[in-house]
Amino acid sequence: MKHGKLNNERIAVIDLGGQYAHLIASKIRRLGAFSEIVSTDELQPEKILSSFRGIILSGGPSSVYEPLAPSTPRKLLDIGLPVLGICYGHQLIMHQLGGDVKNAHGKEYGPAEIQISDFSGLFAGEEQWDNAVVWMNHGDEVKTLPDGFKITGSTQDCAFASVADTSRRIYGVQFHPEVADTVRGDCYLGNFIKICGLENSWSLEDFLKAKTEEIQKETINRKVFLLISGGVDSTVAYALLSRSLPRDHLKGLLIDTGFMRKNEINEVKKALAAVEVDLDVHDASPDFYEKLGNVFDPEEKRRIIGDQFLKSQETASEKLFETPGDWMIGQGTIYPDTIESGGTKHSHKIKTHHNRVPKIQELIQAGRIIEPVRDLYKDEVRRLGELLGLPDSLVHRHPFPGPGLAVRCLCSDGSENSSMPIGDFINKIENKKNEASDICDQLIRHSLEGLVLPLQSVGVQGDQRSFARPAALLPLKERPSWETLEKISRAIPNYFSDFNRVLIRTGAKNPGGYYRRVPNRYLTPDRIDTLREADSIVTDFLREKNIYSEIWQFPVVIVPVVCGKNQAAPTKTPDSDAETAGPCESIILRPVNSRDAMTASVYRMNFSLIDDLTNRLLKIETIDSIFYDLTSKPPGTIEWE
Ligand code: XMP
């Protein structure tokens, strides 16, 4: 009843394993109809019929022919409710009704244009928008249709991109209408909502009202202690809690991990004071640095940060409260955080969010955690912040992850590693000779040298977490156009799953064509200081050039790689205080546009601005090279770790 609806005015989103199920549900709500996630265990067709007005089958990484692939009762398609299958959901419907689904020999990620052949149903009113961009992310695809179905839209590589049996009101799309990169996705889903008869039946104002009452019930006789990171999510969570709780029942604490941005703490304090919110600050940075001393594995870093967060919070709260047991812990967790940590039943783990480490999970089980914005996506959190009267400057800040600069500082252990020419790497891969020669041709045609960098970063490929290599493009002449760069950066991970990112080098102190990973680079205050400086140069630059608000998020990442065989090796290790000798790090710029953090596209910065920014960053003494990340999400994630 949290949506405030007693009847069946809602749409069931059946979670078939994609990280997209919650996104679909949230999108449907944003478009004005309430939706709920339903797991495949809870699927009794009669109950669905009495509780919902429509059904959406989500995407997922499975193939319909896998023995353990998630499935739904065939009868669900006969109860008379409108049904929309998305990606895997579409394939499942086709398979169950007698169509053919086959492996498409290679995966298709990224944008495609849809040619619409029937302007009714999902495409009603879309006449002016034929050939709009849709977002693809699949391996299998439909090859023949069941009786009663016809094609309603096709893309160049996918004939059955959209199909329908209008008499039964069953629709299927191979692309993802719920992600922001499907340009007309909201309209297609809006049409489905109309087909269900639910237009304008729910709003975020309803959510706010229902959530305020829910928090009051949940916190009865208890106080809430909220960790404020300085980001949008925890601040909005705090404001929402402050609506439901008396002032002396709510306490905000900012734990300074040592991974905050330059001047961030003061700015947060000031912004909160303006909305009459008190904030305590506890400096825990020495504890964090000590625990992370010689750790380089990203998952291990996240686990340690999550655990240390809790320890520091306990230490600080012991000082603040005499009876910590009466207090609940508030967190500003939002939907993508829970989904990508494997929050829905079938979703694969992409990475562990610091709000979802095992100790926090224990507290969740014990009913001691309260997460008022956990059902919302970033843009909903921002809109809620506006509804709550928070200032624009705070609500519209770029998102910043809880573990802060720590997940933007890649580490290395003691092993040596170096780059190799991309041709040498891909030409060795069996059964991919044509793809390898296509990539090599494109690189030659555009005067680009290609390297496999000696690094790994987190990505998401075909709905699963990947930990793969970046390919770096080194321009030998003038930089090719954005269109060309994006085309190449799509092709490389599409053809070769060994890569989840493609970068272009925008400048280097020593512009050679060979990179090596600098060993023994850990999370140390000096490296974070360098990153903090680079991050601040970038933020100031964006404000100066008036482009801050054109960009959704702009991670600046420091990586321990340098160009050239003879570059002086740094001697600083966790056990030694010796000075570093010369440049020993590179910077990766990762500006993206996104709406919901589930997908993202690259921000196309003007080339002259890129050069200006690169020159400013190269002035930092220890920085060797600057790269610009050209990867969309998927296959890369927004953060590098
Ligand atoms: P990815 O890298 O998964 O990021 O594409 C999606 C969004 O989530 C943010 N993010 C985090 N936020 N704690 C947070 O509070 C985390 O551990 C974390 N990891 C990623 C990221 O900045 C982006 O906005």
Side-chain angles (χ1 to χ4, degrees):
M1 250 268 291
K2 64 182 169 188
H3 52 294
K5 297 241 170 269
L6 281 171
N7 49 27
N8 63 351
E9 286 186 6
R10 50 194 167 147
I11 291 174
V13 178
I14 298 169
D15 171 17
L16 294 176
Q19 8 135 16
Y20 298 106
H22 279 291
L23 178 52
I24 299 167
S26 145
K27 200 55 174 276
I28 294 292
R29 281 185 257 159
R30 200 153 56 230
L31 292 169
F34 192 72
S35 60
E36 259 177 24
I37 301 282
V38 182
S39 114
T40 46
D41 300 343
E42 308 162 343
L43 280 182
Q44 290 135 354
E46 299 73 27
K47 207 161 160 233
I48 297 287
L49 180 61
S50 60
S51 314
F52 295 94
R53 291 270 190 88
I55 302 167
I56 297 180
L57 304 186
S58 83
S62 311
S63 162
V64 290
Y65 294 108
E66 284 166 17
L68 296 176
S71 188
T72 53
R74 161 73 184 71
K75 202 177 159 210
L76 208 59
L77 303 174
D78 296 331
I79 56 178
L81 289 183
V83 181
L84 168 61
I86 295 176
C87 198
Y88 174 74
H90 158 60
Q91 294 162 9
L92 184 63
I93 297 173
M94 296 298 105
H95 178 61
Q96 288 188 339
L97 294 179
D100 242 348
V101 178
K102 292 245 160 67
N103 191 291
H105 300 293
K107 300 204 168 203
E108 188 189 10
Y109 300 113
E113 286 178 11
I114 186 151
Q115 255 189 321
I116 299 172
S117 46
D118 178 351
F119 292 97
S120 69
L122 297 185
F123 300 126
E126 288 297 298
E127 287 82 353
Q128 282 179 22
W129 294 93
D130 200 5
N131 296 314
V133 168
V134 296
W135 194 265
M136 293 289 190
N137 186 15
H138 64 103
D140 288 0
E141 70 180 47
V142 174
K143 290 291 176 195
T144 62
L145 291 180
D147 288 345
F149 278 82
K150 63 175 185 180
I151 294 175
T152 55
S154 308
T155 66
Q156 196 184 341
D157 294 325
C158 181
F160 300 93
S162 167
V163 305
D165 176 346
T166 34
S167 64
R168 284 193 280 177
R169 298 190 300 173
I170 301 180
Y171 304 84
V173 290
Q174 185 56 70
F175 58 90
H176 286 274
E178 72 279 16
V179 306
D181 302 273
T182 293
V183 175
R184 301 289 296 166
D186 284 8
C187 300
Y188 310 154
L189 290 173
N191 277 331
F192 184 69
I193 291 172
K194 276 190 199 146
I195 292 166
C196 301
L198 289 178
E199 63 264 44
N200 300 324
S201 57
W202 188 80
S203 71
L204 198 59
E205 283 83 352
D206 291 348
F207 173 87
L208 175 56
K209 194 163 165 282
K211 200 72 188 175
T212 309
E213 287 164 14
E214 191 186 311
I215 294 169
Q216 274 160 356
K217 283 196 198 123
E218 210 177 328
T219 57
I220 219 152
N221 296 330
R222 293 211 273 187
K223 300 175 184 176
V224 178
F225 168 59
L226 186 90
L227 294 173
I228 291 180
S229 68
V232 181
D233 309 337
S234 52
T235 313
V236 172
Y238 193 97
L240 181 50
L241 285 168
S242 73
R243 271 224 170 177
S244 315
L245 285 151
R247 202 163 170 175
D248 62 342
H249 279 210
L250 184 60
K251 188 103 200 156
L253 174 76
L254 188 148
I255 290 176
D256 181 0
T257 54
F259 306 128
M260 309 283 283
R261 295 170 157 190
K262 202 167 166 179
N263 296 328
E264 188 165 21
I265 295 177
N266 283 341
E267 281 166 23
V268 172
K269 271 189 131 171
K270 230 166 65 192
L272 284 176
V275 290
E276 296 184 12
V277 173
D278 309 322
L279 181 66
D280 289 310
V281 178
H282 169 69
D283 179 11
S285 54
D287 300 331
F288 279 88
Y289 281 112
E290 193 199 311
K291 296 265 159 46
L292 290 160
N294 55 2
V295 180
F296 69 97
D297 175 69
E299 275 292 301
E300 181 70 357
K301 274 161 77 178
R302 279 174 175 271
R303 191 188 58 71
I304 292 173
I305 292 169
D307 286 355
Q308 185 56 45
F309 236 82
L310 268 185
K311 279 192 200 116
S312 304
Q313 169 266 314
E314 273 165 20
T315 315
S317 62
E318 268 163 25
K319 275 190 226 148
L320 285 169
F321 316 114
E322 282 170 359
T323 51
D326 290 348
W327 291 77
M328 294 178 80
I329 296 171
Q331 296 200 125
T333 318
I334 64 170
Y335 250 156
D337 308 340
T338 50
I339 298 163
E340 298 201 344
S341 292
T344 69
K345 185 165 181 285
H346 296 293
S347 64
H348 287 257
K349 181 159 129 181
I350 308 261
K351 57 186 149 193
T352 307
H353 189 271
H354 75 278
N355 287 351
R356 283 290 173 276
V357 294
K359 278 199 173 158
I360 292 276
Q361 298 284 19
E362 280 169 29
L363 289 170
I364 292 175
Q365 294 302 320
R368 290 212 36 219
I369 300 277
I370 181 162
E371 300 181 313
V373 292
R374 59 164 291 154
D375 296 330
L376 302 182
Y377 286 86
K378 197 82 190 188
D379 66 322
E380 293 174 314
V381 174
R382 289 193 208 279
R383 281 200 295 135
L384 187 66
E386 285 168 4
L387 277 181
L388 290 164
L390 287 171
D392 256 27
S393 55
L394 213 152
V395 170
H396 292 285
R397 280 174 68 160
H398 287 174
F400 189 59
L405 298 177
V407 294
R408 297 178 178 175
C409 179
L410 267 65
C411 300
S412 60
D413 61 5
S415 62
E416 301 278 343
N417 204 340
S418 42
S419 64
M420 71 163 95
I422 196 165
D424 292 358
F425 186 90
I426 58 182
N427 279 316
K428 282 197 200 122
I429 299 174
E430 288 301 319
N431 306 328
K432 294 267 181 176
K433 297 294 174 211
N434 291 344
E435 289 86 346
S437 92
D438 180 33
I439 295 295
C440 292
D441 285 352
Q442 290 197 52
L443 296 182
I444 292 168
R445 198 169 339 123
H446 298 289
S447 303
L448 294 165
E449 192 174 339
L451 288 183
V452 184
L453 280 189
L455 288 172
Q456 277 180 301
S457 77
V458 176
V460 47
Q461 286 167 292
D463 280 354
Q464 307 215 25
R465 177 189 202 268
S466 70
F467 196 50
R469 297 293 194 95
L473 310 178
L474 278 40
L476 299 172
K477 291 190 191 145
E478 208 170 282
R479 224 170 272 153
S481 69
W482 267 115
E483 285 70 25
T484 302
L485 289 175
E486 288 200 19
K487 194 168 155 237
I488 298 175
S489 67
R490 267 201 305 279
I492 294 177
N494 249 350
Y495 289 158
F496 306 103
S497 55
D498 305 79
F499 298 98
N500 58 6
R501 288 180 199 268
V502 179
L503 320 173
I504 181 157
R505 184 169 73 183
T506 61
K509 283 186 178 140
N510 166 24
Y514 170 93
Y515 277 83
R516 67 184 176 82
R517 195 175 68 202
V518 181
N520 293 318
R521 303 297 284 165
Y522 297 99
L523 266 179
T524 48
D526 61 328
R527 294 190 75 211
I528 293 289
D529 279 347
T530 308
L531 175 58
R532 193 178 277 127
E533 190 51 35
D535 177 72
S536 149
I537 290 172
V538 171
T539 307
D540 290 350
F541 179 83
L542 301 183
R543 298 233 187 255
E544 179 190 313
K545 302 294 176 193
N546 241 333
I547 52 173
Y548 185 87
S549 58
E550 282 177 24
I551 301 166
W552 192 82
Q553 187 174 17
F554 198 149
V556 177
V557 184
I558 192 165
V559 294
V561 297
V562 286
C563 184
K565 286 194 172 122
N566 303 318
Q567 200 77 355
T571 48
K572 199 160 183 165
T573 69
D575 318 316
S576 141
D577 263 349
E579 283 303 304
T580 53
C584 49
E585 311 276 5
S586 293
I587 290 287
I588 291 151
L589 304 170
R590 172 76 171 134
V592 291
N593 275 327
S594 174
R595 192 164 159 181
D596 41 42
M598 298 297 293
T599 61
S601 54
V602 181
Y603 172 74
R604 296 180 172 197
M605 195 183 285
N606 177 303
F607 284 167
S608 64
L609 291 182
I610 293 185
D611 292 335
D612 188 352
L613 181 57
T614 298
N615 290 334
R616 293 187 198 195
L617 290 166
L618 281 176
K619 293 210 172 86
I620 302 176
E621 208 188 322
T622 48
I623 297 303
D624 178 85
S625 300
I626 313 294
F627 296 90
Y628 197 105
D629 191 337
L630 303 171
T631 325
S632 56
K633 174 184 178 178
T637 45
I638 296 176
E639 304 290 349
W640 266 55
E641 285 196 334

